[in-house]
Amino acid sequence: MSWSEIDEAALPDEERAPDAVPASANTLFIGDSGELPLDTRRALVQLLAGPSLDGYRHPKLWPILIRDEVPIRRRLAELFLELVIDRDMQVAFTRQADTGELEVPTLLRRAQLTFIDSILLLHLRQRLTQADSRGDRAVVSTDEIMEFLNLYERASNTDRAGFVKRIHASIEKIKKHSILQKIRSSEDRFEISPTLKLLFSAEEIQALTHLYQRMAADETPAPVTRTESDDEEADP
Amino acid sequence: MKADKAIATYRRMRTQPLWRLLASDNGPTVIGLLQIHLYESEQSLPASTFHERIGRSLEVLRAQGEDFPQTAQAYVANWLADGYLERRFPAGASEEEYELSTAAIEAIRFVSGLTQPHSAATESRLTLVIEALTRLAEDTDTDKFRRIDRLMAEQARIDKEIDAIQKGQMRVLPHAAALERTREIITLADDLAGDFRRVRNQFEQLNRDLRERLMDNDGNRGEVLDSLFAGIDLISESEAGRTFSAFWRLLTDPEQAATLDQALDSVLSREFVTQLDAKERRFLLRLTRTLLEQGGMVHEVLQTFARSLKHFVQSREYLEQRRLNHLLKDAQRAALALKDEVRATETLQYTLELSSSRLRSLSQWVLYDPSLQALPGQMAEGDALPIDLESVGELIAQSEIDFRTLKANVLAVLEHRSQASIADVLERFPAAQGLGSVVGLLALGSRHGFRSDHSETVGWIGGDDQSRSARIPKILFLRERANELV
């Protein structure tokens, strides 16, 4: 290991580490007018593609994000997006920026929830809180979800199989949005993504409760028509 | 009627996992499988590995005509439900892990104690008791003169012994007695390592209880909080915590550790050690490492819990969680009130904001190319690709290869010949893990073998019952290097 004994300061400038040489423009391909280095762009794309950039699953991109938080935040702001970073949980994602009165186009997807979806979401959120208070990771199985959602089966329901099918569809939908993540090597056990805490906050839970209460009091308008932002079926 | 109480206790115990495991119909098989997979070699295994290994063992049993109709996964799920196994999902892990429950560990110890009955009244055990009692009597004696008298007597005895040795009379413990004492020490140390598990479980239980009490206690400053704010580290100060800390201090004390290492080295160099069986020797060789590893695990758990509990309290996270619990219960109640009014599939006027975007561009449209739909032509037969050592390394990193068996196979072949290639080994011991065995042998070969310039073809039966073959570099295992494989 003779090289480690060479005194770096004694070397002429050209022979020092390459990063001491001023970086030329980050031109990565023909016609590239971007400014960010390759890794930073990768992190940016991961954030845009979503649902999150996380330290466990993207161990290479996470430090880049922390290093280049400022330029990444700036790029996202151009798209009316806000960067949320939770350093304890090692997870980052984008959120539609609060633009107040200003009307801006939205780039992020939204999931229109059915009644059963919303119940499933509440259950998952609760399991997450429970696991949190014990200091564990939150894991659920299909059976357990079934058992819980059965409570919400209409008393007069005669189509039991149909209800079960709907729950499965709901689980699939939640999985598609990466809120439930399959655990390696087990068929029907899932980890509840900790990002759900941030996506489905206390305020959101209250909003949902109010909606239920208005529905119970028959104050809601006729069934919602599907909109552009609805992701189901629209996905390829 | 004292018997009443004992009987009631035993009735209760019989409903618990330890006794149920011992008494169950297939108890011997279950205990045997758990012992092999989660007790002797590793203490915890990722779910996939554990399922696979249990699956392999079941196949062996089935081949012997035993009746195990269900899948490995199903049995594992039953054992989990019966309380023989525990499943945890450590932070940072990509899959859940299995380990034995305390009940299963105790069952295994109890049963294996029965198979190697060591006479309870051994001389060495008695010596241990006498020495411990004498030490206790001395250490608790407050009489100055008596203590000095005893030390003087001890000094006289030592002087006499030195004299005797100088005159050429040295008493060396006979082999039989030395062996017996060694085994006694192994039992003691083994028990010690087993105790770590129980200590860790106690910590986990404690951590959970404390957090639950924090959550349930609606007063702002409950008992737990008061103690925590008073700076008392509840976990470290618990009975289990204090006992463990004292143990850990002793184990990590450099002087004590050096004494232990030295003593072990000396004992292992004695002649009588050759009469211990391989397992016992290995245990002694690894003793320090085992204690440090397992103790380190408990230490780590203790530290993490203490830290996270403090954080939980200081960050007022528990208040937020209490609030969330209430909110979630309200929401669920409101939803329950609606269940007969609203169809399950009715779309709500509620959208969940997601954190992924969807970019769509005209440029994503691809022209229809009829040639892509054309029927494929005849497929040409290609040459087999050589497996290079780098990709082999990667494969090994990703799979669970039974190196122990492979090494034993190589050694068995080398007993009959002075050198053997991988093909030679596979000829005598067909690849039990298919490509995995081949890769495993290549890995062993690249570490301990001699690589020639030739290559050879090896064959195995794939998981689909098809026979397959590959050309691999010809690596020779040599008998003179066989000791590397032990």
Side-chain angles (χ1 to χ4, degrees):
Chain A
M1 300 284 261
S2 59
W3 53 267
S4 62
E5 286 154 24
I6 299 171
D7 183 5
E8 273 207 32
L11 288 176
D13 275 0
E14 301 77 44
E15 283 184 55
R16 286 209 197 153
D19 56 1
V21 181
S24 57
N26 283 303
T27 310
L28 299 174
F29 48 89
I30 298 171
D32 182 13
S33 56
E35 289 162 354
L36 300 178
L38 181 60
D39 281 345
T40 318
R41 294 193 209 187
R42 278 191 210 281
L44 184 61
V45 171
Q46 176 58 44
L47 283 168
L48 278 173
S52 63
L53 193 164
D54 97 50
Y56 288 120
R57 275 183 301 153
H58 312 107
K60 285 191 190 129
L61 291 183
W62 180 256
I64 306 288
L65 172 76
I66 298 302
R67 185 192 72 196
D68 289 344
E69 186 191 331
V70 175
I72 290 176
R73 203 175 270 288
R74 194 179 307 143
R75 257 65 181 190
L76 289 171
E78 316 259 24
L79 307 172
F80 307 107
L81 295 175
E82 179 196 355
L83 175 62
V84 183
I85 301 184
D86 188 321
R87 284 186 163 76
D88 284 343
M89 268 166 36
Q90 292 217 358
V91 61
F93 59 92
T94 58
R95 183 155 64 190
Q96 205 63 43
D98 183 2
T99 48
E101 297 289 295
L102 187 66
E103 281 244 359
V104 299
T106 50
L107 198 56
L108 290 189
R109 316 205 304 183
R110 287 189 204 156
Q112 188 98 39
L113 299 188
T114 64
F115 184 53
I116 195 100
D117 293 339
S118 69
I119 294 166
L120 174 58
L121 208 59
L122 283 173
H123 177 58
L124 297 182
R125 187 67 180 82
Q126 189 173 35
R127 288 303 316 274
L128 200 55
T129 314
Q130 269 169 11
D132 245 10
S133 63
R134 286 202 307 259
D136 286 342
R137 294 168 76 175
V139 178
V140 284
S141 66
T142 319
D143 288 349
E144 188 195 313
I145 292 177
M146 281 293 169
E147 206 174 298
F148 174 81
L149 290 198
N150 277 345
L151 279 178
Y152 292 83
E153 187 173 359
R154 211 186 269 235
S156 60
N157 186 27
T158 48
D159 182 11
R160 178 93 190 101
F163 187 73
V164 169
K165 233 170 85 188
R166 262 164 232 140
I167 296 179
H168 274 296
S170 210
I171 293 177
E172 283 307 312
K173 181 168 164 187
I174 298 287
K175 258 161 68 183
K176 210 177 75 189
H177 293 316
S178 311
I179 288 164
L180 277 179
Q181 289 158 345
K182 204 169 156 289
I183 298 175
R184 231 180 91 195
S185 82
S186 62
E187 268 323 300
D188 66 339
R189 293 174 58 76
F190 307 95
E191 179 171 18
I192 306 170
S193 165
T195 40
L196 183 60
K197 279 186 262 180
L198 304 158
L199 292 178
F200 195 44
S201 63
E203 290 65 40
E204 294 287 322
I205 298 168
Q206 277 171 312
L208 193 58
T209 312
H210 289 149
L211 175 70
Y212 289 147
Q213 285 161 349
R214 288 213 315 280
M215 285 168 78
D218 251 346
E219 285 170 13
T220 43
V224 190
T225 45
R226 294 191 173 278
T227 59
E228 247 308 283
S229 62
D230 187 355
D231 282 313
E232 285 167 283
E233 280 97 35
D235 261 12
Chain B
M1 278 289 277
K2 273 193 174 159
D4 277 358
K5 201 174 161 201
I7 291 169
T9 311
Y10 294 150
R11 284 213 172 112
R12 187 172 49 75
M13 280 169 65
R14 195 172 60 175
T15 62
Q16 288 170 358
L18 172 60
W19 199 319
R20 279 215 323 271
L21 174 56
L22 289 173
S24 65
D25 282 342
N26 55 5
T29 319
V30 179
I31 296 176
L33 290 178
L34 295 180
Q35 176 171 0
I36 296 301
H37 294 293
L38 281 177
Y39 185 78
E40 286 183 353
S41 43
E42 272 117 326
Q43 264 78 44
S44 75
L45 284 176
S48 57
T49 314
F50 186 54
H51 285 148
E52 196 200 314
R53 292 194 184 171
I54 291 292
R56 240 184 286 150
S57 296
L58 288 176
E59 260 164 48
V60 173
L61 289 170
R62 284 182 198 122
Q64 291 163 358
E66 296 204 33
D67 183 29
F68 286 98
Q70 298 184 59
T71 60
Q73 277 85 342
Y75 287 111
V76 170
N78 284 343
W79 299 336
L80 188 72
D82 287 339
Y84 310 154
L85 289 175
E86 281 175 16
R87 178 166 58 191
R88 53 182 74 237
F89 198 13
S94 65
E95 57 182 308
E96 291 173 293
E97 291 181 1
Y98 285 97
E99 46 190 52
L100 295 177
S101 67
T102 311
I105 293 177
E106 275 170 14
I108 291 171
R109 282 166 178 268
F110 178 68
V111 176
S112 45
L114 294 179
T115 58
Q116 310 168 319
H118 67 171
S119 42
T122 57
E123 186 210 340
S124 61
R125 193 164 277 204
L126 184 61
T127 317
L128 276 175
V129 172
I130 294 174
E131 274 170 14
L133 264 177
T134 325
R135 280 274 305 273
L136 181 67
E138 282 166 18
D139 291 350
T140 50
D141 194 350
T142 49
D143 186 317
K144 196 159 90 182
F145 298 103
R146 260 207 310 264
R147 283 185 93 143
I148 291 175
D149 279 353
R150 240 190 324 262
L151 286 171
M152 302 280 268
E154 175 79 348
Q155 202 170 27
R157 191 188 63 77
I158 293 172
D159 287 343
K160 224 168 108 190
E161 201 174 322
I162 294 174
D163 265 2
I165 294 172
Q166 274 165 350
K167 283 180 193 142
Q169 302 170 323
M170 191 163 60
R171 206 183 138 258
V172 178
L173 202 63
H175 278 193
L179 271 180
E180 192 197 290
R181 237 195 250 183
T182 315
R183 296 212 164 102
E184 204 59 62
I185 291 169
I186 290 177
T187 313
L188 262 176
D190 193 29
D191 280 349
L192 198 61
D195 281 344
F196 287 136
R197 251 306 291 250
R198 215 162 322 153
V199 174
R200 199 194 64 186
N201 279 1
Q202 276 172 325
F203 285 155
E204 277 174 353
Q205 194 54 45
L206 200 61
N207 180 44
R208 210 159 281 182
D209 287 352
L210 287 174
R211 282 165 174 267
E212 263 163 29
R213 268 159 64 196
L214 268 176
M215 288 286 291
D216 292 344
N217 192 334
D218 265 332
N220 252 350
R221 285 170 71 90
E223 184 196 334
V224 186
L225 270 184
D226 278 344
S227 340
L228 275 163
F229 283 131
I232 299 170
D233 197 337
L234 275 182
I235 288 185
S236 308
E237 290 297 318
S238 68
E239 185 66 31
R242 270 203 308 271
T243 317
F244 177 75
S245 303
F247 170 83
W248 184 245
R249 260 200 309 279
L250 192 63
L251 188 64
T252 51
D253 175 65
E255 215 170 295
Q256 292 281 353
T259 315
L260 177 63
D261 277 342
Q262 251 167 35
L264 271 173
D265 277 352
S266 314
V267 169
L268 282 166
S269 68
R270 301 281 187 262
E271 203 193 318
F272 73 85
V273 167
T274 51
Q275 289 173 43
L276 290 171
D277 63 40
K279 215 177 113 195
E280 289 168 323
R281 267 202 310 259
R282 204 163 38 235
F283 180 86
L284 283 178
L285 263 173
R286 297 181 43 114
L287 180 63
T288 326
R289 210 165 93 204
T290 310
L291 287 179
L292 275 173
E293 262 173 23
Q294 301 196 9
M297 192 179 73
V298 180
H299 184 70
E300 173 75 26
V301 168
L302 176 65
Q303 296 296 310
T304 319
F305 283 168
R307 240 193 340 259
S308 81
L309 191 63
K310 228 178 230 158
H311 177 77
F312 189 64
V313 174
Q314 278 167 358
S315 65
R316 308 234 141 201
E317 213 180 292
Y318 68 99
L319 286 179
E320 177 61 14
Q321 288 192 4
R322 246 188 242 162
R323 185 169 91 97
L324 269 170
N325 254 346
H326 287 308
L327 291 177
L328 284 164
K329 293 231 167 75
D330 288 346
Q332 285 170 347
R333 234 185 334 246
L336 214 46
L338 277 178
K339 69 166 184 166
D340 289 328
E341 322 284 327
V342 181
R343 272 181 307 113
T345 50
E346 184 168 325
T347 308
L348 299 183
Q349 269 199 320
Y350 179 86
T351 52
L352 182 68
E353 302 270 342
L354 297 171
S355 54
S356 50
S357 58
R358 181 172 50 200
L359 298 171
R360 275 171 302 183
S361 160
L362 207 55
S363 69
Q364 286 171 309
W365 290 12
V366 180
L367 280 179
Y368 174 69
D369 180 353
S371 72
L372 289 177
Q373 298 298 315
L375 287 173
Q378 187 76 37
M379 201 181 282
E381 204 160 298
D383 287 334
L385 280 173
I387 303 183
D388 66 294
L389 285 177
E390 258 170 55
S391 49
V392 168
E394 219 162 280
L395 276 170
I396 300 160
Q398 288 166 8
S399 52
E400 279 300 328
I401 293 172
D402 187 357
F403 280 107
R404 197 192 295 190
T405 307
L406 292 178
K407 280 183 183 173
N409 292 351
V410 174
L411 286 175
V413 172
L414 286 181
E415 258 171 42
H416 301 286
R417 45 203 298 178
S418 62
Q419 61 175 53
S421 72
I422 290 176
D424 297 333
V425 176
L426 287 174
E427 194 177 316
R428 227 177 112 214
F429 299 97
Q433 285 179 271
L435 179 60
S437 303
V438 179
V439 169
L441 286 170
L442 273 170
L444 287 180
S446 68
R447 234 173 291 150
H448 309 293
F450 168 76
R451 185 169 175 184
S452 73
D453 294 333
H454 305 280
S455 55
E456 60 178 351
T457 305
V458 292
W460 68 93
I461 307 289
D464 49 2
D465 280 342
Q466 296 280 313
S467 59
R468 302 180 187 284
S469 63
R471 281 199 78 68
I472 56 170
K474 186 164 187 172
I475 294 178
L476 294 168
F477 294 101
L478 306 174
R479 190 189 284 165
E480 59 258 38
R481 290 180 64 187
N483 56 343
E484 290 178 19
L485 289 166
V486 178

